[in-house]
Amino acid sequence: MTTTASWVGSAALNPAPQPLPMFASAVRAGFPSPADDHLDAEMDLHGYVVKRPAATFFARSEGDSMIGDGIHHGDLLVVDRSLEPLPGRVIVVALDGELTVKRLERVGQRTYLSASNPAYQPIPLEGREAHVWGVVTHVLHSLPGATP
Amino acid sequence: MIALVDCNNFYVSCERVFNPALEGRPVGVLSNNDGCIVARSNELKAMGVEMGTAKHLLPPSIRRQVTLLSSNYALYGDMSRRVTDVLAEFSPDVEVYSIDESFVGFHGFDSATLEARGQRLRQTVQQWTGIPVSVGFAPTRVLAKVANHAAKKHPGYRDQGVCLLAADSPATQALLKQLPVTEIWGIARRTGERLRVMGIETAWQLREADPKQIRRRFSVVQERIVWELRGQPSIQLDDMIQPKQQMMVSRSFGRLTSSPHDLREALRQHAARAGEKLRAQQSVTSAVMLLVRTNAFRQDLPQYRNRVVVTLDRPTDDSRELIHAAIQGLRLLWRKGYAYHKAGVMLLDLSPKANRQLTLTETPQTEEEAKRSERLMATVDTLNRELGRGTIQLGLPRAGNAWALRSEHRTPRYTTQWEELVHVR
């Protein structure tokens, strides 16, 4: 039968299969079990980078304008929409109808989107249609030998 | 108080999150096989394009301006789950009513704080997911629906996006007096005509009617609507009329269960029941959403809720295909270590079977045949599981062939496929 499954939420909810050993909450009221200290869960990279699953999206970077921040063409970006776009943060912005990744900067009273590649000029935000889409929290860059 | 949270122009809003150039422009989303318009942006509504308009009947002048997209149910399902997850941050009591509407219980909250909470909820959903929502608070589901409608459309509430209607308050009276009785949830047009003969034309007149008389003349369901309009909760979620183009079959388990077999059995039954309902109304579906959750009122237990959309290659009303989709979906949803409370199957993108463009396996099923094919399915599944996938394949069309569902203008599945992520420069 040909149905295609697509799961809802790569960047999403799915609590890591077993974040806590089952009995951890049950023993809360009693004496701490001496064994508790030695329970090492499998390390879950998804949970490590995705703090707010409902608000976290993955994006693919294009071009070399952010190379100075270690963002290469084709890298995977983790974008958290729940974070505030403070100056200094690398953000995704909807600028004139397109999604772009740049660093938010304030100089005096003026706000700019700056690239981290000297070949690109800072973009003053004054008088432009710009909406913050989210804050980039992590970059995943693959090296030779990695299978995509 | 209970809130109905409804996503504004949901499918279009999902598309706009990943393609901001669509903001402020007329956009329509098409049903399966790109047949007719099932979602419209406000700009498209303003052009007078009705819901359900066939694509080929759009006037050329509108055709030139509008962006028409094929439906992308993988994306809508994922965005819908995200919205529900944000709602759960505001109250554990979230009940999914349709892909774009949820009831959120605010029992025990101070009503004076609710409008502010509604504002924060709206703002948070918008920021975290990019989806605009409207919020209607009321003591009952029927009134919450009225409140939600006002929050979306009424000049007095529209700017806020939040409307709170206390039972019989001056604001509630004013709204119900303006509202034709047929606009109330659950009042069919024919019932409305009979009510009019009795001199009941507005929602407020129905609120004033004698419930016993309404029960005698109509039914116990109509009587409950009177109680609901008076602010007395009388209608359970499962008794509410289903929105068009969607069909939900869901039930709570008699007791909490951690057994994958129980979940599998429940989803199998729900899918089969949904198939029956679908055939009874002569419709077909092209996307199946599966939902599972734990009991939110047992905060002493680990909590989990999730859902998945399985898209079908072609529209169907065949229970076997629905069950198959349900079991496939469950594989992705299942997590060990949770006590499950509820499972459900929601069929999306319903369309009349008569409009189906190609019919391949057009065999009406009797109960006996259905049972037999179900047993057949189970055997096939077992063999495929034990001897390897594809050991036995059914004579159904494969992906990419001439019969595959047409979706020429589908946007990438931005949130569920690694190869289709949104690009940022």
Side-chain angles (χ1 to χ4, degrees):
Chain A
M1 192 147 318
T2 50
T3 38
T4 50
S6 37
W7 87 87
V8 164
S10 357
L13 162 130
N14 309 348
Q18 276 298 41
L20 280 176
M22 274 305 286
F23 56 83
S25 55
V27 297
R28 206 165 26 188
F31 289 103
S33 156
D36 277 3
D37 291 340
H38 304 289
L39 283 168
D40 291 331
E42 192 183 326
M43 289 195 288
D44 169 32
L45 183 61
H46 186 86
Y48 186 74
V49 298
V50 177
K51 295 302 179 203
R52 280 233 170 87
T56 304
F57 294 83
F58 296 146
R60 190 70 69 185
S61 81
E62 238 176 58
D64 59 358
S65 68
M66 294 302 285
I67 196 79
D69 287 285
I71 300 177
H72 302 70
H73 179 80
D75 281 357
L76 181 77
L77 306 178
V78 180
V79 187
D80 188 340
R81 292 181 56 108
S82 73
L83 296 177
E84 288 307 313
L86 303 175
R89 289 184 169 172
V90 174
I91 59 173
V92 173
V93 194
L95 186 68
D96 302 331
E98 260 192 61
L99 292 178
T100 182
V101 55
K102 294 287 175 292
R103 181 182 296 279
L104 191 67
E105 263 173 13
R106 272 187 84 86
V107 179
Q109 292 302 304
R110 315 187 85 177
T111 309
Y112 294 87
L113 292 178
S114 14
S116 56
N117 179 339
Y120 295 80
Q121 291 296 313
I123 307 164
L125 279 186
E126 245 169 38
R128 294 193 72 162
E129 178 89 5
H131 297 281
V132 176
W133 200 88
V135 174
V136 180
T137 55
H138 299 272
V139 186
L140 188 69
H141 175 66
S142 299
L143 295 172
T147 34
Chain B
M1 283 271 180
I2 190 163
L4 177 61
V5 180
D6 189 356
C7 302
N8 304 347
N9 312 328
F10 181 57
Y11 297 169
V12 172
S13 296
C14 290
E15 300 286 354
R16 281 176 167 165
V17 171
F18 298 93
N19 186 358
L22 296 177
E23 211 62 61
R25 292 184 28 201
V27 180
V29 174
L30 300 165
S31 66
N32 65 59
N33 265 348
D34 292 349
C36 50
I37 293 176
V38 292
R40 302 162 297 159
S41 72
N42 287 340
E43 297 77 10
L44 193 57
K45 289 177 188 170
M47 292 173 146
V49 174
E50 294 294 322
M51 191 76 163
T53 305
K55 182 184 166 191
H56 66 273
L57 292 180
L58 275 180
S61 58
I62 291 179
R63 203 50 225 282
R64 273 194 293 276
Q65 303 172 56
V66 67
T67 305
L68 291 178
L69 301 169
S70 307
S71 36
N72 184 347
Y73 283 100
L75 175 65
Y76 311 151
D78 182 53
M79 295 302 280
S80 161
R81 185 188 47 71
R82 288 167 183 270
V83 171
T84 316
D85 286 350
V86 181
L87 300 182
E89 303 253 333
F90 287 81
S91 160
D93 181 12
V94 180
E95 288 183 307
V96 176
Y97 172 64
S98 75
I99 193 164
D100 54 358
E101 295 165 282
S102 293
F103 283 106
V104 186
F106 284 96
H107 310 289
F109 288 72
D110 179 1
S111 342
T113 67
L114 285 182
E115 274 170 311
R117 258 177 229 282
Q119 281 302 341
R120 233 178 39 244
L121 180 151
R122 235 181 127 233
Q123 200 272 327
T124 310
V125 174
Q126 167 85 55
Q127 188 191 332
W128 291 22
T129 68
I131 303 293
V133 296
S134 307
V135 186
F137 288 102
T140 67
R141 295 183 203 280
V142 168
L143 276 179
K145 183 75 179 173
V146 175
N148 186 281
H149 187 78
K152 206 173 276 178
K153 301 271 164 69
H154 197 279
Y157 303 95
R158 203 166 46 195
D159 298 340
Q160 298 288 310
V162 176
C163 170
L164 184 147
L165 296 179
D168 293 344
S169 73
T172 307
Q173 268 197 47
L175 265 179
L176 291 185
K177 279 177 180 164
Q178 287 175 18
L179 189 71
V181 78
T182 43
E183 302 252 315
I184 302 173
W185 222 1
I187 302 281
R189 187 178 301 162
R190 198 175 301 161
T191 310
E193 277 160 21
R194 285 172 61 201
L195 284 167
R196 190 168 311 146
V197 174
M198 295 168 64
I200 298 175
E201 295 195 16
T202 69
W204 182 253
Q205 285 168 327
L206 185 61
R207 181 255 171 259
E208 298 276 71
D210 175 14
K212 278 188 201 135
Q213 195 194 5
I214 296 294
R215 169 153 49 170
R216 267 202 314 278
R217 297 249 190 133
F218 298 93
S219 69
V220 72
V221 180
Q222 313 293 325
E223 182 202 358
R224 285 189 190 140
I225 291 174
V226 178
W227 289 115
E228 288 258 323
L229 287 172
R230 292 179 177 203
Q232 295 196 24
S234 315
I235 299 184
Q236 294 300 309
L237 183 70
D238 296 344
D239 298 331
M240 304 247 32
I241 311 280
Q242 301 268 323
K244 275 182 197 148
Q245 294 162 351
Q246 295 172 35
M247 178 185 290
M248 168 113 103
V249 178
S250 72
R251 271 187 71 179
S252 304
F253 294 108
R255 53 178 172 78
L256 298 182
T257 176
S258 301
S259 149
H261 305 291
D262 284 351
L263 273 180
R264 196 182 157 99
E265 231 8 80
L267 285 178
R268 195 182 272 277
Q269 275 184 29
H270 295 342
R273 175 81 193 106
E276 277 170 41
K277 284 168 79 174
L278 197 62
R279 289 192 294 278
Q281 65 171 62
Q282 309 206 318
S283 296
V284 288
T285 178
S286 66
V288 183
M289 184 154 88
L290 295 318
L291 308 93
V292 297
R293 65 172 166 92
T294 53
N295 187 348
F297 293 102
R298 290 291 305 274
Q299 290 291 332
D300 54 320
L301 298 174
Q303 293 292 315
Y304 174 59
R305 65 162 77 226
N306 203 354
R307 73 183 76 167
V308 60
V309 170
V310 180
T311 50
L312 308 172
D313 277 346
R314 64 195 176 109
T316 186
D317 66 351
D318 188 327
S319 288
R320 290 174 295 175
E321 291 176 57
L322 301 180
I323 291 170
H324 185 77
I327 301 302
Q328 256 193 316
L330 180 60
R331 287 200 191 107
L332 299 170
L333 289 179
W334 168 252
R335 297 285 181 283
K336 214 178 134 200
Y338 293 97
Y340 291 90
H341 173 59
K342 194 168 186 177
V345 170
M346 191 185 285
L347 306 182
L348 305 169
D349 197 21
L350 304 194
S351 58
K353 187 169 184 173
N355 289 358
R356 208 165 112 183
Q357 299 196 330
L358 286 151
T359 49
L360 287 171
T361 55
E362 201 82 64
T363 43
Q365 287 186 315
T366 63
E367 263 308 290
E368 183 120 351
E369 279 171 346
K371 284 213 177 91
R372 224 177 66 205
S373 53
E374 215 180 310
R375 280 203 305 275
L376 171 70
M377 278 299 111
T379 313
V380 169
D381 288 350
T382 313
L383 286 172
N384 280 341
R385 197 170 49 240
E386 286 170 4
L387 301 175
R389 262 192 117 162
T391 304
I392 296 188
Q393 295 192 343
L394 289 148
L396 290 170
R398 303 193 58 76
N401 70 11
W403 306 288
L405 192 61
R406 193 158 67 201
S407 50
E408 285 168 26
H409 312 288
R410 203 200 62 214
T411 49
R413 290 162 291 181
Y414 299 108
T415 59
T416 55
Q417 296 288 333
W418 289 111
E419 302 74 31
E420 300 181 21
L421 298 179
V422 66
H423 284 243
V424 297
R425 298 196 141 270

